[in-house]
Amino acid sequence: MLKRWGSQVRRHPVLGAVGVAVVWQAVIVVVAKVLPPLEPGWFPQLGPTVVNLAGAAVVLVLLRAWGLLATGGVAGPGVMARWPVLLPLVVVAGLAALPGIEGGTATLVGGVVLMLAIGVSEELSSRALVLEVARPLGPVRAVVLTAVLFGVGHLGNWLFFGAPLGNTLWQVLEAGAFGFCLCGARLYIGSVWPLVLVHALSDYLEIYSPGKTADWLQALGLAVDLGLGIGLLLLLRARTAPAPAAS
C-alpha cells in the first residue's frame, strides 16, 4: 500500500507534496486530541513532545518505505563545511534572548527536549519528505511549494488548538519565510540535521524569552529568512545551470 502511494506521489509531485503535508498535520492533530494530558512536574511538556515524536515516526516510515532517507537528507550530516551558511539564523535567534530566558528548571530543560522534538518532526516532514516529493518540479518551484505548505500548515494552530487568528496569520507568514530559507539550506547542505538544531534553537529562545518578540526583530527575521533563502536558491540555480558554450 505504501509503495503504491509512493508511485502515485512520484507521478504527481504537487498533489503528492500536498498529500504528505496533510497526512503529517493530521497525525499531529489526531494524536494531540486523543492523548490524555501528560504534564508531570518533572517534564511539563511531555504531551506535546510525544505528539511531535509520533509525527516524526510516521514521516520516517514513509521516507524509509519510499527510499528517500538518503536523498531527503536524513541519512547523514551533509556537507559540514556548508553548515555555517545558517549562522545568520543563529544570530537572529540569539537576539531574541537578549532579555534572557525565564522559567523553572523542569520547564527550561523540558523545553529543550520539546523544541528538539518539534525540530525533528517539522524538518523531517517539510524539508525531508515534502521537499523531496516536490523535487521533480525543480529546485525553485519545489522550495516555494514546500515553504507555502509549511506556512499554511500553521493554520492548524487556529483551527484545532484555539490560537488567536491574528497571531496565527502572522505565524503563517513567519513560518513560510523561515521554511523558504531552510528549504534552500537543505538543498545546499544536503542534510536536515543542522536545520533541526537551528529550528529548535530559534523556537526555544523565542518562546522562553520573556515578553513579546520585538517588532524590529520579527522584521529582521523575515528579511534574513527571505534574503538568505533567495541567495541560496540563486546559488543552487547557478550550480545546476549548464556551462556556457565556448565561442
Side-chain angles (χ1 to χ4, degrees):
M1 180 178 174
L2 287 181
K3 289 186 178 180
R4 185 181 305 171
W5 183 20
S7 65
Q8 292 292 328
V9 161
R10 289 182 175 89
R11 285 198 292 268
H12 307 285
V14 174
L15 291 178
V18 173
V20 294
V22 169
V23 165
W24 175 83
Q25 185 72 55
V27 170
I28 293 295
V29 172
V30 170
V31 175
K33 294 299 183 181
V34 302
L35 194 70
L38 298 175
E39 300 177 354
W42 55 273
F43 190 178
Q45 304 93 334
L46 179 59
T49 299
V50 171
V51 169
N52 280 279
L53 291 179
V58 170
V59 172
L60 280 173
V61 168
L62 294 179
L63 287 166
R64 182 183 178 88
W66 296 344
L68 300 177
L69 287 173
T71 56
V74 182
V79 182
M80 295 188 71
R82 296 179 180 177
W83 283 34
V85 74
L86 294 168
L87 282 176
L89 303 185
V90 175
V91 172
V92 172
L95 292 174
L98 288 177
I101 56 175
E102 62 180 4
T105 300
T107 297
L108 294 178
V109 173
V112 172
V113 179
L114 172 59
M115 295 309 135
L116 285 172
I118 292 173
V120 169
S121 185
E122 295 191 350
E123 294 309 316
L124 288 179
S125 64
S126 185
R127 263 64 70 179
L129 183 57
V130 174
L131 180 58
E132 198 57 33
V133 167
R135 282 283 288 276
L137 300 173
V140 175
R141 286 189 291 179
V143 164
V144 171
L145 175 60
T146 304
V148 169
L149 290 174
F150 183 66
V152 170
H154 285 73
L155 282 173
N157 294 332
W158 170 63
L159 291 171
F160 305 110
F161 300 112
L165 178 58
N167 292 350
T168 301
L169 291 176
W170 177 251
Q171 189 179 29
V172 167
L173 177 61
E174 282 189 311
F178 191 53
F180 174 73
C181 180
L182 292 184
C183 283
R186 211 285 280 167
L187 294 179
Y188 180 65
I189 295 171
S191 174
V192 298
W193 300 115
L195 313 185
V196 168
L197 298 176
V198 170
H199 193 149
L201 176 68
S202 179
D203 284 354
Y204 185 85
L205 295 181
E206 181 176 353
I207 290 172
Y208 293 103
S209 176
K212 178 182 177 294
T213 302
D215 291 342
W216 68 268
L217 184 54
Q218 291 181 319
L220 177 62
L222 282 176
V224 170
D225 290 339
L226 293 174
L228 182 56
I230 291 170
L232 286 169
L233 279 186
L234 291 175
L235 179 59
L236 288 166
R237 290 195 67 176
R239 286 175 174 271
T240 56
S247 57

